[in-house]
Amino acid sequence: MKIILMGPPGAGKGTQGNWISNYLNIPKVSSGDLFREHQNNKTELGQLASSYMQKGKLVPDKITVAMVMEWIDNNKQSEGFVLDGYPRTLPQAEALDIALNNNGLGNVDKAINVDVPTEVLISRLSGRLVCTNCNQIYNIKYAPPKNDRVCDNCTKQLQIRDDDKIEAIQKRIQVYFESTAPLISYYESTNILVEIDGSNSISVVTEELKSILSN
Ligand code: AMP
């Protein structure tokens, strides 16, 4: 099963993507996490990406496509994958289709679009905490960690992402509607688009996904 998770920042793609990955036993990657890994390792790519990420802008397609295609190449033996936050532009979607076909991996099976109203996104993103080690996501209001600022899973420090500051949040939501929303018609045209309401609680969204994935 090759699954794409689409939706604005704060829609819950990371949380639900982790669940799908465990449920179907397939690897999940978030392009944002790959960029943050490069930043932490202080690679040239990480430094280049930082300037875009801090402003809430998209990293240019050429860099993003190369990075995600490398991940797909390294994971092509698995029974599928979940992509969280990729593709975000039409050229990225086309590059993905070409790479899958060139590798004999077939087509994307489902493009799941998680829809959430803007005011809910802002409220979620401004309370988000992320584990610096395992990328587990928490929210101060909706899904707090058991101990203040410490990950329940691995006990490492939690932090607020640089781009979860209000100016960057607003820019990221705007960028989503300009660049990423057009992808919805791209996947609609190939009949693999599934729309879900991401404003519900985590467990309700997970139940909906379960029924989608078992069809
Ligand atoms: P995310 O963790 O998905 O919210 O992504 C954080 C930031 O990483 C975004 O605001 C972009 O700057 C960058 N980024 C992540 N995925 C992509 C992508 N597919 N294309 C371009 N930029 C991306």
Side-chain angles (χ1 to χ4, degrees), residues 28-44:
K28 179 213 125 178
V29 75
S30 143
S31 40
D33 285 346
L34 287 180
F35 282 129
R36 282 182 286 277
E37 227 171 272
H38 275 280
Q39 284 178 328
N40 292 340
N41 295 332
K42 304 210 178 334
T43 68
E44 205 179 317

Side-chain angles (χ1 to χ4, degrees), residues 15-32:
T15 304
Q16 300 300 344
N18 289 342
W19 178 82
I20 296 174
S21 165
N22 286 329
Y23 183 64
L24 296 178
N25 198 20
I26 50 176
K28 179 213 125 178
V29 75
S30 143
S31 40

